Amino acid sequence: SVNLSSLAVSDNLILLSGEYVEISESGSYICKSDHSGNILAKTKISNITGKDNVSLRKIFSDKNGEIWALMNDGYSNKSIVVNLDQNMNSKKIIDFDIGAEDFIVDSYGRIALSDYVNEEIILYDSEGNYLYSEKITKESHCFEAGGKYYTAVPNIQKSETVIYLLDFDKKNISPGIWNIMPTITADHLGVVGGLTKKFDTMSLYV
């Protein structure tokens, strides 16, 4: 059994990490499982990084099927991004000089890190070279939608969440309102009534 610390579902795979409780296999592992819970591949985190005090913060599979993991060094509190193959062996390891709470990687291997210490979101190229950064609040959550990449930043004081577009090509991070899901223009009655087509509801009010 595994005490989970991270879990992601991607197509027909479950990606997870955690501490094995069996004495013979004790330690932190990254595993690949099918939907029935059968372990298909696993690897010990210390074997990937060569370090004993590294924890995994997030793991996901991108649209190309590449597996990516964000890890933090417990001694230095600095982050490591790892690209894994389907057998959970490392293909690429990039060390960063910051501590990140979240990340995302685009289809070209370019990386966005949410730096919770300096409170900024930072863009890097596929080799880990700096591209651009923007000051944000401490907490942010990166995601992909419609082939574009975003980070959601909650503002507790204003009771709102600001969505930032992460533009690797233009080396820019833009706050704003982005139509990342299909929308319909309707008034309150139209929405409550469940209208799926635009309809003039004014006659129903007068």
Side-chain angles (χ1 to χ4, degrees):
S1 60
V2 180
N3 294 324
L4 287 177
S5 62
S6 180
L7 175 68
V9 178
S10 178
D11 296 328
N12 62 334
L13 298 177
I14 298 175
L15 305 172
L16 54 94
S17 71
E19 296 279 342
Y20 265 85
V21 298
E22 289 84 354
I23 299 300
S24 61
E25 293 190 287
S26 62
S28 295
Y29 285 78
I30 298 177
C31 306
K32 182 173 71 173
S33 165
D34 62 20
H35 285 185
S36 297
N38 301 308
I39 299 297
L40 304 177
K42 68 179 179 181
T43 187
K44 202 170 185 178
I45 291 178
S46 59
N47 292 341
I48 297 174
T49 62
K51 301 176 181 179
D52 293 326
N53 198 35
V54 173
S55 60
L56 187 138
R57 294 195 63 90
K58 183 177 180 180
I59 186 169
F60 77 97
S61 178
D62 67 18
K63 59 195 306 182
N64 296 327
E66 294 286 330
I67 300 173
W68 295 90
L70 172 65
M71 306 179 187
N72 277 11
D73 187 324
Y75 294 121
S76 65
N77 201 31
K78 294 180 180 179
S79 293
I80 305 166
V81 171
V82 181
N83 183 202
L84 301 161
D85 65 20
Q86 294 299 314
N87 293 317
M88 311 309 284
N89 298 312
S90 62
K91 297 169 59 177
K92 177 187 284 188
I93 299 176
I94 304 176
D95 292 290
F96 293 92
D97 289 329
I98 66 168
E101 72 165 10
D102 198 13
F103 85 129
I104 199 163
V105 183
D106 76 353
S107 56
Y108 297 100
R110 295 174 294 190
I111 303 164
L113 293 181
S114 175
D115 180 355
Y116 60 85
V117 175
N118 298 308
E119 299 187 359
E120 59 184 353
I121 188 83
I122 309 171
L123 304 183
Y124 299 90
D125 67 15
S126 60
E127 299 303 318
N129 300 307
Y130 172 89
L131 295 177
Y132 183 78
S133 63
E134 186 79 22
K135 283 289 185 180
I136 57 172
T137 55
K138 190 169 186 177
E139 182 181 4
S140 66
H141 306 281
C142 301
F143 63 97
E144 181 270 337
K148 295 184 179 180
Y149 301 86
Y150 304 88
T151 189
V153 181
N155 187 323
I156 305 301
Q157 288 74 25
K158 294 184 178 180
S159 298
E160 65 181 18
T161 297
V162 179
I163 305 296
Y164 288 78
L165 173 66
L166 308 176
D167 194 330
F168 292 95
D169 293 326
K170 295 181 179 179
K171 300 179 183 179
N172 190 35
I173 299 172
S174 305
I177 300 173
W178 310 99
N179 292 325
I180 60 175
M181 297 179 65
T183 61
I184 181 172
T185 301
D187 62 12
H188 179 72
L189 183 61
V191 174
V192 172
L195 297 179
T196 57
K197 295 182 180 180
K198 187 175 181 179
F199 182 77
D200 183 8
T201 56
M202 180 60 69
S203 59
L204 298 178
Y205 290 112
V206 296

